[in-house]
């Protein structure tokens, strides 16, 4: 995945939307834009650094920023969110996060872990082995954590693999399943419903509520996938 080029001028919010009574979403883009996403992550770091009274959490999304406020907050949530973002933009944003992690994720692309790989192969006119090779060759960045705790959306998928979501979602996708759709790839953190094409599975525990850091991934992480066989999958799964 090419590195996002810093925007010459910070974008203006398109809208500030309510998320219930105690949160607001400051929207900068309604489509996936890697430059805007990188900007949102820098903005999130700036808002975190402010430690503004009443702000409980700051959550960067694909094209915007969600600000969650404390139940005791008495002001106008939308106005407060807009003012805080504007203040951070005026004060300048960090050029990049203080620490960018690069994580290697082992993935087994064997048939029993990849129920959709043959279907993807037919759609893109590539053999299944090439699907795995192209998926491993990508440089990915975690664009956001969403849909479910620990569920990381990663940008950087090879354009040849950009198939649409499945017409019929599955009621339950096994934990660790690696899915692709459009321009992104994901790893299901535990067994949940999903409509992405599953092309492999990692033996890593992506989310564990009992860990000090429950989610294996964080927004901004760089991810590299490494193909493994069934034996290594079994060995790593027992750790």
């Amino acid at each position: 995945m090419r590195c996002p080029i810093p925007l010459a001028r910070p974008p203006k919010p398109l809208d500030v939307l309510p998320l219930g009574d105690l949160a607001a979403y400051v929207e900068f883009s309604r489509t996936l834009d890697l430059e805007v996403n990188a900007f949102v992550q820098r903005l999130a770091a700036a808002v975190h650094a402010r430690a503004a009274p009443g702000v409980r959490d700051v959550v960067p999304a694909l094209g915007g920023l969600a600000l969650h406020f404390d139940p005791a907050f008495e002001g106008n949530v939308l106005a407060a969110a807009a003012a805080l973002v504007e203040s951070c933009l005026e004060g300048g944003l960090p050029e990049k996060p203080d620490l960018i992690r690069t994580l290697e994720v082992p993935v087994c692309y064997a048939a029993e872990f990849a129920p959709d790989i043959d279907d993807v192969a037919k759609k893109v006119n590539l053999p299944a082995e090439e699907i795995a090779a192209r998926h491993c060759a990508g440089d990915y960045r975690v664009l956001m954590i969403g849909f479910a705790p620990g569920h990381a959306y990663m940008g950087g998928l090879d354009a040849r693999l950009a198939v649409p979501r499945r017409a019929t979602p599955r009621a339950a996708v096994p934990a660790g399943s690696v899915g692709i759709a459009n321009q992104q790839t994901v790893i299901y953190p535990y067994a949940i419903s999903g409509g992405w094409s599953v092309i492999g599975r990692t033996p890593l525990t992506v989310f564990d509520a009992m860990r000090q850091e429950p989610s294996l991934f964080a927004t901004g992480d760089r991810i590299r996938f490494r193909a493994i066989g069934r034996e290594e999958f079994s060995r790593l799964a027992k750790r």
Side-chain angles (χ1 to χ4, degrees):
M1 180 182 71
R2 67 187 179 87
C3 293
I5 300 172
L7 294 164
R9 180 178 301 173
K12 294 290 185 181
L14 300 177
D15 210 343
V16 182
L17 306 168
L19 297 176
D21 296 333
L22 292 169
Y25 179 66
V26 184
E27 185 177 55
F28 291 92
S29 177
R30 297 188 176 101
T31 59
L32 177 57
D33 183 310
L34 295 181
E35 282 76 30
V36 171
N37 178 262
F39 156 80
V40 167
Q41 293 181 14
R42 292 166 53 215
L43 175 61
V47 174
H48 268 297
R50 287 292 181 96
V55 176
R56 173 172 286 191
D57 199 7
V58 181
V59 183
L62 290 181
L65 194 67
L67 283 78
H68 295 259
F69 289 79
D70 191 274
F73 184 78
E74 297 181 350
N76 182 299
V77 167
L78 299 183
L84 178 55
V85 165
E86 182 63 28
S87 176
C88 288
L89 291 177
E90 291 178 353
L93 305 182
E95 287 300 316
K96 59 182 179 179
D98 292 335
L99 177 63
I100 297 177
R101 302 188 304 173
T102 298
L103 306 177
E104 182 182 84
V105 178
V107 177
C108 184
Y109 297 91
E112 61 263 39
F113 299 134
D116 298 318
I117 198 166
D118 288 335
D119 182 55
V120 172
K122 292 176 182 178
K123 288 180 178 178
V124 302
N125 195 28
L126 292 171
E129 294 79 7
E130 181 70 11
I131 302 297
R134 284 176 178 261
H135 188 259
C136 282
D139 292 312
Y140 300 89
R141 177 165 59 87
V142 177
L143 306 178
M144 65 171 282
I145 306 292
F147 177 64
H151 191 270
Y153 289 83
M154 306 176 193
L157 185 67
D158 187 307
R160 285 292 300 274
L161 306 184
V163 296
R165 291 167 57 92
R166 287 168 45 85
T168 304
R170 291 183 172 90
V173 179
S177 293
V178 177
I180 58 174
N182 301 317
Q183 304 172 54
Q184 299 175 68
T185 188
V186 297
I187 303 177
Y188 288 82
Y190 37 82
I192 51 176
S193 60
W196 295 46
S197 294
V198 176
I199 63 168
R201 191 182 303 174
T202 179
L204 301 182
T205 301
V206 174
F207 183 86
D208 182 351
M210 302 306 293
R211 288 193 304 224
Q212 183 175 1
E213 294 292 338
S215 177
L216 182 63
F217 306 115
T219 303
D221 284 347
R222 269 51 174 181
I223 309 298
R224 294 301 304 269
F225 293 104
R226 177 175 63 88
I228 60 174
R230 295 177 179 86
E231 290 187 3
E232 186 172 0
F233 181 96
S234 297
R235 177 172 57 81
L236 293 174
K238 293 177 182 178
R239 288 184 175 179

